[in-house]
Amino acid sequence: MSSLFLRTLREDPADAEVPSHKLLVRAGYVRRVAPGIYSWLPLGLRVLRNIEQIVREEMDAIGAQEIQFPALLPKEPYEATGRWTEYGPNLFRLKDRRGGDYLLGPTHEELFTLVVKGEYSSYKDYPVMLYQIQTKYRDEARPRAGILRGREFLMKDSYSFDLTDDGLSESYELHRDAYVRIFDRLGLEYVVVKATSGAMGGSASEEFLAVAPTGEDTYVRSPGGYAANVEAVTTPAPPAKATDGLPPAQAHHTPDTPTIESLVDFLNDEADLGRTFTAADTLKNVLVKTRQPGTAEWTLLGIGVPGDREVDMKRLEAALEPAEVALLDEADFAAHPFLVKGYIGPAALAANGVRYLVDPRIVPGTAWVTGADKPDHHVVDLVCGRDFTPDGTIEAAEVREGDPAPDGSGPLESARGIEIGHVFQLGRKYADAMQLDALGADGKPVRITMGSYGIGVSRLVAVIAEQSHDGSGLIWPRCVAPADVHVVIAGKTDEIAAGGERLAADLDAAGVRVLLDDRKATPGVKFADAELIGVPTIVVVGRGLANGVVEVKDRRSGERQEIAVESVVAHLAELTGAR
Amino acid sequence: MSSLFLRTLREDPADAEVPSHKLLVRAGYVRRVAPGIYSWLPLGLRVLRNIEQIVREEMDAIGAQEIQFPALLPKEPYEATGRWTEYGPNLFRLKDRRGGDYLLGPTHEELFTLVVKGEYSSYKDYPVMLYQIQTKYRDEARPRAGILRGREFLMKDSYSFDLTDDGLSESYELHRDAYVRIFDRLGLEYVVVKATSGAMGGSASEEFLAVAPTGEDTYVRSPGGYAANVEAVTTPAPPAKATDGLPPAQAHHTPDTPTIESLVDFLNDEADLGRTFTAADTLKNVLVKTRQPGTAEWTLLGIGVPGDREVDMKRLEAALEPAEVALLDEADFAAHPFLVKGYIGPAALAANGVRYLVDPRIVPGTAWVTGADKPDHHVVDLVCGRDFTPDGTIEAAEVREGDPAPDGSGPLESARGIEIGHVFQLGRKYADAMQLDALGADGKPVRITMGSYGIGVSRLVAVIAEQSHDGSGLIWPRCVAPADVHVVIAGKTDEIAAGGERLAADLDAAGVRVLLDDRKATPGVKFADAELIGVPTIVVVGRGLANGVVEVKDRRSGERQEIAVESVVAHLAELTGAR
């Protein structure tokens, strides 16, 4: 450490909010260069490389083959799939000296698809799984939390190419299992949640979320083990009921009741209907407009949800992906006078050809209080399947703690996590865009089906730090730690210095990775730095050396043990697995 | 190989001119994505990583510490050193979503300087050497030869930081020695040439050039071991002579002699001066204009060279670095009527305050025929030091084969090479720009002096291929080869297939890196691919297996040997150094 390029800091960086960011900067692992753009100092780079190696081993173990694409990419493949525009401002775009359009790769679906198309042609070539561990770029609107959400980051992305859906399922499971092994080896606490696939397109998809109160991702879980992204939660539909014998729908004058609350109050206080209504008895109709990527035209869409729930825009967006969604503005209402703000009902939508999608709880036979399509009027006992027929269902209503898990495993509760891995069944989206076919055994082309699998390698450094630290500093699991043993020379005598140096040399010779604190600094400074840096085992060579002992401390538990100098190398080699 | 992501090609790629480019594409090591931008397929990536590891080991061995900077960098540090503009169109520039200016790092002097400034403050912290192995970007005007000159490439760049010039010399020597070890380990044929430092600024500088007829770099060498870039060749100056007793300068009417050739012809054929003149007796004055980076103003500059030599614009540019140089256009001549085209002499330059630099051969006491500053007139016996006094010397004249080496080691001959490494003594250029000081023992700041050292890691893959191939394909040195042994199953029987697979498994268990050709293909196809791919040892498991032997072939020499199956693993483990 007297020559290591490292200066620890006593103060948290001013821009840091989460523990991993504070500690990785203070302990000298990373340094900020620009928003979301970091340099790796020697200790940080070692941790990063150790994680990278674990990821590589597990990818190799499932037969995935490592390749490497450039980060600087021409526009054309991304234009072919529409992502050149779909990515919007998240994409770093640039021009070369001849005016050609380029981008910095945010993910490499297009390139993987093209390289397989370039090399492979026959069904005999498949299946194949390829991966890379490579620097990626996304111009995040809000880079945050140090390397947790950066604009330049290291990612392992892999892709599977199969002839059949069953093949894709197998490749998907291989990856899923490899991810479990990787995150288990890293000692992470994580959940696997059902996910929507976002801008990636495709069908089955799961996310690996590290459990962390500072996480950006909200997910829900049930006591019975269900876990899903909020966007991916499905709503159990009650059974449809018969409509026979239900009271007829009836319009009522409900003055000044544009909100659900004012409507319920009016029905219960002023109207005399002989029943008590709650917000859950009302049907709230929210109007939005959508447009497909690459088109200019907006289309109206009506969303019906029980009046006791808000529309969750993130769920709505996920449900309508890849279409864009926006709320209506005054001009839209002015252009469509049949939309009576605060009193919109299914009737006007149907009469004017507006597509109408409802929450799964709105099944045939359920009766609702909803807008009557004229100011200050609502209709009561409007029965689904009798008085109105939605065009389909949509998962747009907010998910609440206590809602039942869709698999019947109990009530949902919400938790926070950090996305560390994502496995997708992409299907044929990219193969279609790039026309990736194999010549089948029968001489006919077979369209390839793909999976896409990602791990945020540099993010994992922060995630481990987030889950594994205490008030004094970082606590690295041994497999990723920058060293196995941190030897602290705690004393000014030549004997102690020589003893520490000899121990470090002996440990090194025994295959133990050592960080030796041979600086001219007080023991207090050295101990504090050792705690901050977080090497799992700390050995103090100090006054005890005169009695033939050194102190071995476990960074995580704080447990200390005096060990005889002559047996300490063997002890530590055993402990660290070096021998 | 039945599952390896590899398809070899029988045809050279259409855009390939040099052997390494043809072979690396044909053998499935790299694939082109855009001009100067390549993907690495599995075999190529292995070679790249092997080279990277050798570079890393030698850098670690001299005590350099590995860190890693981002490739996406903010403009500000590059603006502080002027390189944001100096790099011109070679720099990839882009804007982020907020309109901030960024670049893709072409080299990282600024960042290294800043990180040391950020961490270190005292003289006790120094010296330090840091390095990274990282992707770099340069928007080359003419990307060529595959990965030999790419726009995205992998480079090892390191920097030394010292308190004193002697310290810098030591750091420089450490790097130079490490580079020698690296290139020796890679089995390269190379020369170390004196170099100018180009846009990097600074003083002492050497280049490592791999000897290659396809190289872009021309250098000169002497039988006695001198080697230098043409730009760096210095001209031995003859001793100055006394001017006493030399004939006086005399103007002559020399009609229609604007060129050296026409002038010499006139002097020898028409003038009656009683002597014979050669072009070497004339003094050619070339006018250029220069401007300092970041300024708009051009300044005239006169260059005087012996009339038998041209001005070498590359040498002139290198001599004037970092100033920009341009030839005069008609407007410039019109603006300065004292410049009489074809008849410019030192007198008009001196009278009009134009700086005048001459070739080192033009020493006091030498007499010249040169322009008399009026049309159709020259002056004869114009003596340097008597009749004109240059403002200094400049290395601008062309270097010719047969010129004496500056160190007296014999006549120069020219050769071609590929730059594989570069070591510079940067000095204090960047430390000045970034104000990198250490607090000295006496409490006063000491400006740090820096060295900069680069190796083109991805380029080395091509350079090795360029130096090590034959008509059949690549021939890798073992230390960088994608495998140690290429086992070819040459035969259709189950016994032969099983024998090959068993051998591959046994070799693998013995620590030998194996590539097994278990494809359903003819032996001819397999042999051709083995030669093309270039693994140093090829083992053929074929009909001989029935007699208990396999054939072991050395890829480079072509030597074949039959070896008993029971001893082949031990033999190959020994051969490959696995044990």
Side-chain angles (χ1 to χ4, degrees):
Chain A
M1 283 179 71
S2 62
S3 59
L4 183 64
F5 189 63
L6 169 74
R7 289 295 173 269
T8 57
L9 310 174
R10 292 288 157 252
E11 301 292 325
D12 289 333
D15 62 333
E17 286 168 8
V18 300
S20 63
H21 186 187
K22 292 175 187 171
L23 291 171
L24 289 170
V25 171
R26 278 187 45 209
Y29 283 69
V30 299
R31 287 291 179 262
R32 181 182 178 279
V33 170
I37 301 178
Y38 282 77
S39 300
W40 296 87
L41 299 193
L43 295 182
L45 189 57
R46 282 187 215 175
V47 174
L48 180 67
R49 287 271 161 73
N50 290 339
I51 294 173
E52 187 181 322
Q53 188 51 29
I54 288 172
V55 173
R56 180 172 289 121
E57 286 169 12
E58 295 297 342
M59 294 313 299
D60 290 344
I62 62 168
Q65 301 180 53
E66 188 172 4
I67 63 177
Q68 190 155 312
F69 286 112
L72 179 63
L73 299 170
K75 172 177 73 169
E76 290 70 23
Y78 286 78
E79 216 168 30
T81 58
R83 297 209 298 175
W84 173 259
T85 45
E86 264 172 44
Y87 258 109
N90 283 316
L91 198 62
F92 282 108
R93 297 176 183 82
L94 67 159
K95 285 189 185 290
D96 76 354
R97 64 194 294 151
R98 296 177 198 284
D101 282 310
Y102 286 79
L103 60 101
L104 300 182
T107 74
H108 281 72
E109 279 76 0
E110 286 81 354
L111 276 284
F112 275 94
T113 311
L114 283 175
V115 81
V116 171
K117 182 179 161 113
E119 306 300 310
Y120 278 1
S121 55
S122 158
Y123 72 98
K124 294 178 197 160
D125 298 327
Y126 292 90
V128 65
M129 295 190 288
L130 301 174
Y131 77 100
Q132 63 173 348
I133 298 179
Q134 198 241 16
T135 307
K136 300 249 182 290
Y137 297 86
R138 291 188 201 158
D139 198 357
E140 296 282 349
R142 283 170 297 279
R144 67 180 280 276
I147 53 170
L148 214 42
R149 180 173 288 280
R151 299 198 292 171
E152 171 173 323
F153 53 96
L154 191 67
M155 192 171 157
K156 188 286 297 177
D157 50 334
S158 47
Y159 298 86
S160 62
F161 298 84
D162 280 278
L163 294 165
T164 64
D165 293 347
D166 284 353
L168 170 55
S169 295
E170 275 171 46
S171 300
Y172 182 91
E173 288 305 321
L174 281 172
H175 270 89
R176 193 184 190 285
D177 293 349
Y179 279 27
V180 166
R181 282 191 297 274
I182 289 166
F183 299 132
D184 285 350
R185 284 179 68 179
L186 296 177
L188 288 166
E189 189 194 345
Y190 63 95
V191 292
V192 188
V193 303
K194 290 176 183 45
T196 57
S197 50
M200 315 290 294
S203 49
S205 157
E206 286 165 293
E207 273 180 18
F208 290 74
L209 295 182
V211 176
T214 55
E216 272 195 304
D217 290 293
T218 306
Y219 68 99
V220 291
R221 58 187 175 199
S222 76
Y226 176 83
N229 252 345
V230 171
E231 286 88 334
V233 172
T234 54
T235 307
K241 292 184 276 195
T243 55
D244 315 346
L246 292 176
Q250 205 163 356
H252 289 268
H253 184 224
T254 55
D256 202 19
T257 56
T259 65
I260 296 295
E261 199 186 4
S262 56
L263 171 63
V264 170
D265 286 350
F266 178 89
L267 291 175
N268 290 336
D269 298 347
E270 322 249 336
D272 187 17
L273 300 176
R275 287 181 268 168
T276 305
F277 292 87
T278 69
D281 298 318
T282 69
L283 170 59
K284 174 155 60 180
N285 296 307
V286 175
L287 262 285
V288 296
K289 54 187 178 182
T290 69
R291 73 176 166 193
Q292 293 302 318
T295 63
E297 205 70 0
W298 289 99
T299 309
L300 290 183
L301 173 67
I303 308 290
V305 298
D308 61 337
R309 289 179 190 260
E310 299 299 326
V311 167
D312 178 332
M313 282 305 286
K314 282 179 78 175
R315 276 170 55 78
L316 175 62
E317 281 166 9
L320 294 173
E321 190 85 62
E324 201 180 340
V325 190
L327 296 172
L328 300 195
D329 55 24
E330 289 304 324
D332 293 317
F333 280 103
H336 300 103
F338 63 89
L339 297 175
V340 184
K341 245 179 136 173
Y343 303 90
I344 298 172
L349 301 180
N352 290 279
V354 176
R355 191 169 153 79
Y356 181 51
L357 302 175
V358 297
D359 185 81
R361 278 165 282 236
I362 299 163
V363 293
T366 53
W368 303 91
V369 180
T370 193
D373 296 314
K374 59 180 180 178
D376 295 337
H377 284 77
H378 282 90
V379 56
V380 176
D381 287 324
L382 195 78
V383 172
C384 181
R386 182 189 74 184
D387 304 320
F388 69 101
T389 306
D391 297 307
T393 61
I394 188 165
E395 291 291 351
E398 61 179 319
V399 173
R400 295 211 198 115
E401 300 225 349
D403 282 350
D407 62 355
S409 60
L412 296 176
E413 63 163 6
S414 116
R416 299 185 78 82
I418 303 168
E419 185 184 337
I420 49 176
H422 203 159
V423 288
F424 295 101
Q425 293 192 17
L426 275 183
R428 296 183 175 80
K429 170 177 171 166
Y430 291 92
D432 282 344
M434 305 289 186
Q435 287 154 46
L436 174 61
D437 293 328
L439 196 65
D442 59 0
K444 288 183 189 153
V446 181
R447 180 94 350 146
I448 297 302
T449 181
M450 291 167 57
S452 160
Y453 318 93
I455 287 182
V457 177
S458 50
R459 168 178 287 186
L460 279 174
V461 176
V463 170
I464 294 169
E466 205 63 37
Q467 286 194 349
S468 190
H469 68 269
D470 62 16
S472 308
L474 298 159
I475 307 173
W476 295 109
R478 192 170 301 283
C479 64
V480 303
D484 287 308
V485 174
H486 187 138
V487 176
V488 176
I489 295 175
K492 288 187 178 171
T493 70
D494 290 349
E495 287 71 26
I496 290 176
E501 271 162 31
R502 200 169 44 240
L503 175 58
D506 290 350
L507 286 170
D508 184 67
V512 177
R513 300 170 304 143
V514 185
L515 185 62
L516 171 67
D517 195 346
D518 56 350
R519 295 176 298 170
K520 290 191 201 343
T522 65
V525 165
K526 291 185 177 185
F527 294 150
D529 276 347
E531 302 275 309
L532 180 60
I533 289 168
V535 169
T537 305
I538 299 167
V539 177
V540 181
V541 181
R543 262 178 274 169
L545 193 66
N547 306 321
V549 295
V550 297
E551 185 185 276
V552 175
K553 178 178 171 185
D554 183 78
R555 170 68 185 89
R556 190 177 298 271
S557 68
E559 240 168 75
R560 294 152 193 273
Q561 217 184 332
E562 289 210 327
I563 298 202
V565 171
E566 58 271 20
S567 61
V568 72
V569 172
H571 172 82
L572 292 171
E574 172 82 29
L575 179 72
T576 61
R579 181 107 340 248
Chain B
M1 284 182 68
S2 63
S3 60
L4 183 64
F5 188 64
L6 169 75
R7 288 296 173 267
T8 57
L9 310 174
R10 292 287 156 254
E11 301 292 324
D12 290 331
D15 62 334
E17 286 168 8
V18 300
S20 63
H21 186 187
K22 291 176 187 170
L23 291 172
L24 289 170
V25 171
R26 280 187 45 208
Y29 283 69
V30 299
R31 288 289 180 261
R32 182 182 177 281
V33 169
I37 301 177
Y38 282 78
S39 300
W40 296 87
L41 299 193
L43 294 183
L45 189 57
R46 283 187 214 176
V47 174
L48 181 66
R49 289 268 161 75
N50 291 340
I51 294 173
E52 188 181 322
Q53 189 50 30
I54 287 171
V55 172
R56 179 172 288 120
E57 286 168 13
E58 295 297 343
M59 294 312 300
D60 289 345
I62 61 167
Q65 301 182 52
E66 188 172 3
I67 64 177
Q68 191 156 310
F69 286 111
L72 180 63
L73 300 170
K75 174 177 70 169
E76 291 69 22
Y78 287 79
E79 217 168 28
T81 58
R83 296 208 300 173
W84 173 259
T85 45
E86 265 171 45
Y87 256 109
N90 284 315
L91 197 64
F92 282 108
R93 297 178 183 80
L94 68 158
K95 284 186 186 292
D96 76 354
R97 64 195 294 151
R98 295 178 199 283
D101 282 309
Y102 286 78
L103 59 102
L104 300 182
T107 73
H108 281 71
E109 278 77 359
E110 286 81 355
L111 277 283
F112 275 94
T113 310
L114 284 175
V115 82
V116 171
K117 182 180 161 109
E119 306 301 310
Y120 278 1
S121 54
S122 158
Y123 73 97
K124 295 178 197 159
D125 296 329
Y126 292 89
V128 65
M129 295 190 289
L130 301 174
Y131 76 100
Q132 62 173 348
I133 297 178
Q134 196 241 18
T135 306
K136 300 248 180 296
Y137 296 86
R138 291 190 200 157
D139 197 358
E140 296 281 350
R142 282 170 297 278
R144 66 180 278 278
I147 53 170
L148 215 40
R149 179 172 290 280
R151 298 198 293 169
E152 171 174 321
F153 54 97
L154 191 66
M155 193 169 156
K156 189 285 297 176
D157 50 334
S158 46
Y159 298 86
S160 62
F161 299 84
D162 281 278
L163 295 166
T164 64
D165 292 346
D166 284 353
L168 170 55
S169 294
E170 275 171 46
S171 300
Y172 182 90
E173 287 305 319
L174 281 172
H175 269 90
R176 193 185 190 282
D177 293 349
Y179 279 28
V180 166
R181 282 191 296 275
I182 289 165
F183 299 133
D184 285 350
R185 283 179 69 179
L186 295 176
L188 287 168
E189 189 193 344
Y190 65 94
V191 291
V192 188
V193 303
K194 290 178 182 46
T196 57
S197 50
M200 315 291 293
S203 48
S205 156
E206 288 166 290
E207 273 179 18
F208 290 75
L209 295 183
V211 176
T214 54
E216 273 194 304
D217 289 293
T218 306
Y219 67 99
V220 291
R221 60 187 172 197
S222 76
Y226 175 83
N229 253 346
V230 172
E231 286 88 334
V233 173
T234 53
T235 307
K241 289 183 279 194
T243 55
D244 315 345
L246 293 175
Q250 206 165 355
H252 288 268
H253 183 223
T254 55
D256 203 21
T257 55
T259 66
I260 296 294
E261 199 187 3
S262 57
L263 171 63
V264 169
D265 285 350
F266 180 88
L267 290 176
N268 291 335
D269 299 344
E270 323 247 333
D272 187 16
L273 299 177
R275 286 182 268 167
T276 305
F277 293 87
T278 68
D281 298 320
T282 68
L283 170 59
K284 174 157 56 181
N285 296 306
V286 175
L287 263 286
V288 296
K289 54 186 179 181
T290 69
R291 73 176 166 194
Q292 294 302 319
T295 64
E297 204 71 359
W298 290 99
T299 308
L300 290 184
L301 174 67
I303 307 289
V305 297
D308 62 336
R309 288 179 190 260
E310 299 299 326
V311 167
D312 178 330
M313 282 305 286
K314 283 181 79 176
R315 276 170 56 78
L316 176 62
E317 282 165 7
L320 294 174
E321 192 84 62
E324 202 180 339
V325 191
L327 295 172
L328 300 196
D329 56 25
E330 289 304 322
D332 294 316
F333 280 103
H336 300 102
F338 63 90
L339 297 174
V340 183
K341 244 178 133 177
Y343 303 90
I344 299 171
L349 301 181
N352 290 279
V354 176
R355 191 170 153 78
Y356 181 51
L357 301 175
V358 297
D359 184 82
R361 276 165 285 234
I362 299 163
V363 292
T366 53
W368 305 92
V369 180
T370 192
D373 296 313
K374 62 182 179 179
D376 295 338
H377 283 77
H378 281 89
V379 55
V380 176
D381 287 325
L382 195 78
V383 172
C384 180
R386 182 188 74 184
D387 305 322
F388 70 100
T389 307
D391 295 309
T393 61
I394 187 166
E395 292 292 350
E398 61 179 320
V399 172
R400 292 210 199 118
E401 300 225 347
D403 282 349
D407 62 356
S409 60
L412 296 176
E413 63 162 5
S414 112
R416 297 186 80 81
I418 303 167
E419 185 183 337
I420 50 177
H422 203 159
V423 288
F424 293 102
Q425 293 192 16
L426 276 182
R428 297 183 173 80
K429 171 175 171 165
Y430 291 92
D432 283 343
M434 304 290 185
Q435 287 156 44
L436 174 59
D437 292 328
L439 196 65
D442 58 1
K444 290 185 187 149
V446 181
R447 181 89 355 140
I448 296 302
T449 181
M450 292 168 55
S452 159
Y453 317 93
I455 287 181
V457 177
S458 51
R459 168 179 286 186
L460 280 173
V461 177
V463 170
I464 295 169
E466 203 64 36
Q467 286 194 348
S468 190
H469 68 268
D470 62 17
S472 307
L474 298 160
I475 307 172
W476 295 110
R478 192 170 303 282
C479 63
V480 302
D484 287 308
V485 174
H486 188 136
V487 176
V488 176
I489 295 175
K492 289 187 179 173
T493 69
D494 290 350
E495 288 72 27
I496 289 176
E501 272 162 31
R502 198 168 48 240
L503 175 58
D506 291 348
L507 286 170
D508 184 66
V512 177
R513 300 170 304 144
V514 185
L515 184 64
L516 171 67
D517 194 347
D518 57 349
R519 294 175 300 170
K520 289 193 196 353
T522 65
V525 164
K526 292 184 176 186
F527 294 150
D529 276 347
E531 302 274 310
L532 180 60
I533 289 167
V535 169
T537 305
I538 300 167
V539 177
V540 181
V541 180
R543 262 179 275 169
L545 192 67
N547 306 320
V549 294
V550 297
E551 185 185 275
V552 175
K553 179 179 170 185
D554 182 78
R555 170 68 185 91
R556 191 178 296 273
S557 69
E559 238 168 76
R560 295 153 192 274
Q561 219 184 333
E562 290 210 326
I563 298 202
V565 170
E566 58 272 19
S567 60
V568 72
V569 172
H571 172 82
L572 291 171
E574 172 81 29
L575 180 73
T576 61
R579 182 88 343 240

